[in-house]
Each structure stands twice: as C-alpha cells, then as structure tokens.
C-alpha cells in the first residue's frame, strides 16, 4: 500500500474519531442540562411524584439519542394511558383487591410484551410504572387521591418529554434521517413467553407489597417495575446480579451525596451538584460501551433516593437506609427466582 493511501486512511480515521468525540460531547451536555433542569423544576415546583421527572428525563435521553415524531407520539400515548389508569382507580376498583390484582397482572404482562419491541419500550416503561405506583398508593388512600397521583405522574412525564425535546432542539447532532426502529428479534410466541416469564418473577413480590402495604415501599415498587423490565431476556440471572450491584452502587452514591448536600441545603446548590454528577455519569455512560447500563441504573437509583428524600423530609434518615436494604433484598429475590426458572425444563417457557 502506498504512503498516499495510508495517509488518506489515517485522515479518514482521524475525522471519524473527531466526529464521534463531538457527538459524545453533545450527548453529555444534553444529558447534563436536561437532568439538571428536571431536578431544579422538581425541587422548585414540588408537585405530586415530582421526583420521578428527573428519572424519566435521564431514561429518555439515554434510551432515545435522536429526536423524531414517533418517539414523541409514543410518550404522549403513555401519558394518556396514565391518566386513564388514574380515572379507573378513582372509580373505586381499589376496594376489590382480587380483581385489582388480576388487572395489574394482566397489564404488567402486556407491558412486558410491548417492552420486547424497541418501538414501544418507553411506552411499556411508563405503563409498568403507572400500573404499580398508582394502585399501591391508592389502596391506602381515598379514591380521589388516585386522580391527583395520576396527574402528578403525568406532569412528571410531560416535563420529561418537554426537556427531552428542548435538549435535542438546542443541542442537536449532525445525523442522517431517522432510520427507523430496530427490528423485533423475537417472534410473537417468544415475546409472550418472555413476558410470562418476567411476570412469574416479579408478580409474587408485587403481591407481597400490595397485600401487606409495607412502609416506605413505594420506591421499591418503582424499582421492581424498572428491574423486572430488564429480566425478560434469557440470561436473567446475570442481569439480576448486575442490578443488585448497580443499585447498591447507586445507594452508596446517594448516601455520599446526602452528606455533601447537607453542607449547603438549598435548591441552587442541589441543582448544581446533581448536574455535576450527571456530567460525570454521562461521560461514563457514553464512553464505556457495554458497562453503560451499570452507570445508568446506578444514577437512576441515586436520583430516586435523593429526590424522594429531599422533597419529603429534607435530609437522610433511617427510611433511606430501609429503602436501600429493600432494593438489595428485591434484587436478591430476583436472582433466586430467575435461577429457578432458568434451571427448569417447563416446555411452555422454553424457546422454540
């Protein structure tokens, strides 16, 4: 090969590397600004379930690196379903636990099925969150509370969608036209088997929390929703073990963050500190490749623990430690349950 050809290839490689670096910097900036604004709005306005807005914003920005009409439609449909679920709960169905749990189980399975399609994964995420959070709170409250909670969750979703859109508008990437969603890798029967398998793992612990109404369990319900979506694959034991580690890391980061935030307890410092953490985590998420899910999950844990505690009591207390312990226990349960299912030879759970 001639020196000219080698030089040409080197220049092409250098330009590709430079473009990738620029794109990574834009995504880090977009993530930092989006999460920072969501944290500020949640702390400033403090509506019902406001602490979920930063979590959704971070998830949207990571899972959907490009802005297109199909994503916005998907997210808006999820908000409409959330409002509809709140209206259903406000009708008094929470007074009938058995039909309620049957409805929750069916909707969870539908959510798992949708999650296996890349086109509907965000819709399924919000659906599962709404299915678990709203009935859990409504069972211990008046029926009117369900409508307010659905409205609060919807506001969090609207804030997340708005910040997601603005972040892409003001920090765009030089990309080609949207190529479409990734193809579905499983057949419909395989998707239903994966959905039923995930339901077998998650639904018993969901029933336990609903029946006994465990104190400080609402955050655990959120993480059950997020964790169970990730165990629809065949290697759920490894995924569950990964989730225990990443959530434990997020819990430790939350405890350390509380210590720092106690020094200057105001919204401005809180926003700047979380934005700095978002920048550090984004630099890891967009550069470490296969290890990115560890940082994504750990940062989600951090956001939920810090946001819920600061917006309720303002400082770390024994309930925060209880929440972290609950997350670890749930993760350990999922490892055991996933291992049990993977070592069985039940024909209806096996791939074709």
């Amino acid at each position: 090969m001639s020196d000219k050809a080698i030089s040409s290839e080197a220049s092409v490689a250098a330009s590709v590397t430079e473009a990738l670096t620029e794109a990574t910097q834009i995504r880090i900036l977009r993530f930092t600004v989006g999460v920072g604004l969501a944290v500020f709005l949640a702390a400033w306005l403090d509506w019902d379930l406001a602490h979920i807005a930063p979590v959704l914003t971070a998830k949207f920005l990571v899972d959907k690196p490009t802005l297109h009409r199909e994503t916005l439609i998907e997210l808006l449909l999820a908000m409409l379903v959330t409002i509809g679920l709140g209206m259903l709960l406000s009708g008094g169905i929470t007074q009938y636990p058995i039909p309620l749990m049957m409805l929750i189980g069916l909707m969870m399975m539908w959510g798992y099925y949708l999650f296996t399609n890349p086109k509907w994964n965000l819709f399924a995420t919000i659906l599962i969150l709404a299915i678990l959070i709203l009935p859990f709170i409504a069972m211990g409250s008046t029926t009117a509370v369900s409508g307010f909670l659905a409205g609060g969750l919807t506001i969090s979703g609207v804030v997340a969608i708005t910040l997601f859109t603005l972040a892409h508008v003001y920090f765009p990437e030089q990309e080609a036209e949207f190529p479409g969603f990734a193809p579905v890798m499983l057949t419909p029967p395989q998707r239903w088997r994966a959905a039923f398998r995930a339901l077998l793992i998650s639904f018993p612990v969901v029933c336990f929390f609903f029946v006994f109404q465990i104190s400080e369990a609402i955050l655990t319900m959120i993480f059950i929703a997020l964790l169970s979506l990730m165990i629809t694959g065949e290697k759920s034991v490894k995924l569950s073990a990964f989730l225990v580690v990443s959530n434990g890391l997020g819990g430790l980061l939350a405890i350390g963050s509380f210590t720092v935030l106690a020094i200057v307890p105001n919204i401005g410092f809180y926003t700047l500190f979380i934005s700095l953490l978002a920048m550090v985590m984004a630099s890891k998420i967009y550069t470490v490749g296969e290890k990115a899910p560890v940082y994504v999950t750990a940062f989600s844990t951090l956001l939920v623990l810090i946001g819920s505690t600061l917006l309720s009591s303002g400082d770390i207390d024994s309930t925060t430690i209880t929440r972290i312990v609950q997350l670890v226990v749930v993760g350990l349960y999922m490892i055991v349950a996933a291992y049990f299912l993977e070592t069985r030879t039940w024909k209806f759970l096996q791939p074709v």
Side-chain angles (χ1 to χ4, degrees):
M1 183 180 293
S2 65
D3 293 341
K4 184 177 181 180
I6 294 175
S7 177
S8 177
E9 290 183 2
S11 62
V12 171
S15 62
V16 171
T17 302
E18 183 179 355
L20 290 175
T21 302
E22 182 181 357
T24 300
Q25 291 176 349
I26 292 175
R27 292 185 179 185
I28 291 173
L29 181 61
R30 183 189 299 154
F31 187 87
T32 303
V33 173
V35 172
L37 288 176
V39 166
F40 173 75
L41 291 175
W44 180 35
L45 301 178
D46 192 15
W47 63 89
D48 292 327
L49 301 177
H51 58 275
I52 298 179
V55 180
L56 292 178
T57 303
K59 183 169 182 59
F60 295 166
L61 289 172
V62 171
D63 291 352
K64 300 293 184 180
T66 58
L67 176 65
H68 48 85
R69 183 171 60 88
E70 288 78 3
T71 297
L72 296 179
I73 293 175
E74 177 186 2
L75 297 177
L76 290 174
L77 287 175
M79 295 301 99
L80 293 177
V81 170
T82 300
I83 296 173
L85 181 60
M87 295 176 62
L88 175 64
L89 294 174
S90 63
I93 192 174
T94 54
Q95 300 176 9
Y96 307 96
I98 294 179
L100 176 64
M101 294 309 299
M102 293 176 62
L103 178 63
I104 290 174
L106 291 174
M107 293 188 71
M108 286 179 66
M109 189 167 177
W110 181 48
Y112 292 140
Y113 178 80
L114 291 176
F115 189 76
T116 57
N117 185 345
K119 182 177 180 179
W120 295 105
N121 54 8
L122 288 185
F123 176 87
T125 300
I126 298 176
L127 176 66
I128 294 291
L129 282 171
I131 289 169
L132 294 184
I133 296 174
L134 299 182
F136 182 81
I137 301 178
M139 286 184 70
S141 308
T142 61
T143 54
V145 173
S146 302
F148 289 108
L149 293 175
L153 186 58
T154 302
I155 292 174
S156 295
V158 170
V159 168
I161 294 172
T162 303
L163 294 177
F164 168 81
T165 304
L166 292 176
H168 278 281
V169 169
Y170 286 100
F171 304 104
E173 295 181 47
Q174 298 296 325
E175 295 179 345
E177 185 179 354
F178 176 61
F181 295 99
V184 181
M185 303 305 296
L186 302 175
T187 63
Q190 290 174 330
R191 293 174 64 192
W192 282 118
R193 274 194 297 273
F196 184 69
R197 191 165 171 274
L199 186 68
L200 285 179
I201 295 175
S202 62
F203 196 61
V205 70
V206 170
C207 291
F208 175 81
F209 279 103
F210 267 85
V211 170
F212 292 98
Q213 288 287 291
I214 306 298
S215 177
E216 302 298 332
I218 183 62
L219 293 182
T220 309
M221 298 299 291
I222 295 174
F223 281 102
I224 289 172
L226 297 177
L227 301 184
S228 61
L229 287 171
M230 300 184 68
I231 57 177
T232 54
E234 294 299 322
K235 301 299 182 182
S236 54
V237 171
K238 292 182 179 179
L239 279 174
S240 298
F242 144 76
L243 292 169
V244 172
V245 174
S246 57
N247 279 287
L249 175 61
L252 293 176
L253 289 174
I255 294 175
S257 298
F258 278 118
T259 304
V260 176
L261 292 172
I263 300 174
V264 186
N266 61 61
I267 293 179
F269 182 75
Y270 169 52
T271 302
L272 292 175
F273 179 74
I274 299 300
S275 298
L276 177 61
L277 286 179
M279 182 181 297
V280 173
M281 299 300 282
S283 64
K284 295 292 185 181
I285 291 170
Y286 293 117
T287 57
V288 297
E290 295 182 354
K291 295 180 181 179
V294 175
Y295 296 98
V296 173
T297 307
F299 190 62
S300 297
T301 304
L302 170 73
L303 287 176
V304 174
L305 289 175
I306 289 183
S308 61
T309 301
L310 289 180
L311 293 180
S312 59
S313 61
D315 56 358
I316 188 170
D317 51 20
S318 59
T319 59
T320 304
I321 305 299
T322 301
R323 293 165 182 170
I324 296 174
V325 172
Q326 286 177 351
L327 295 182
V328 174
V329 171
V330 168
L332 292 176
Y333 160 78
M334 289 189 171
I335 292 178
V336 174
Y339 178 78
F340 178 78
L341 288 181
E342 285 187 4
T343 55
R344 303 303 96 183
T345 56
W346 299 329
K347 185 175 180 180
F348 68 96
L349 287 178
Q350 302 304 313
V352 178

